[in-house]
Amino acid sequence: MRVATGTYTGDGQDSRAITGVGFQADVIFIQPTTSNAPVIKTSTMAGDTSLLGNSVLTANHIQSIDVDWFTVGTDVKVNENLQAMYWVALKDNSAGDLKVGSYTGDGLDN
């Protein structure tokens, strides 16, 4: 598995590219300093959606995962002006140590 980490300071601008990841990630985690809930996006999440903590998919957080960067929206949880944001990027290297997928729930227990 490939792992990269970094920080950036929010500027509140829409469609902001966070560059220098070094690879096209399968998973991006962003931990804002002003919230306990991380924002997560995987390569299987469609369009401009990402997951805030354990809630539903939401737009305007992590907008996309790109070749050597990811793009964030204006939401303060990922791009609050003058606030530090910490990120982790993960990439499967075909060693079987990272798998990303999705499924449709049926609402049943177990």
Side-chain angles (χ1 to χ4, degrees), residues 15-91:
S15 300
R16 177 174 178 198
I18 308 302
T19 60
V21 175
F23 51 85
Q24 186 165 9
D26 292 314
V27 181
I28 298 285
F29 295 90
I30 298 176
Q31 178 64 56
T33 57
T34 56
S35 168
N36 291 328
V39 178
I40 303 162
K41 183 169 182 73
T42 71
S43 57
T44 62
M45 293 177 181
D48 178 16
T49 60
S50 50
L51 186 63
L52 174 60
N54 61 355
S55 67
V56 298
L57 292 176
T58 307
N60 199 34
H61 291 99
I62 304 171
Q63 296 175 316
S64 63
I65 298 174
D66 305 292
V67 176
D68 183 29
W69 67 93
F70 57 94
T71 304
V72 296
T74 59
D75 193 282
V76 295
K77 293 172 187 71
V78 296
N79 200 8
E80 183 173 356
N81 194 39
L82 302 178
Q83 293 299 312
M85 305 288 167
Y86 301 91
W87 59 266
V88 176
L90 306 171
K91 172 77 174 162

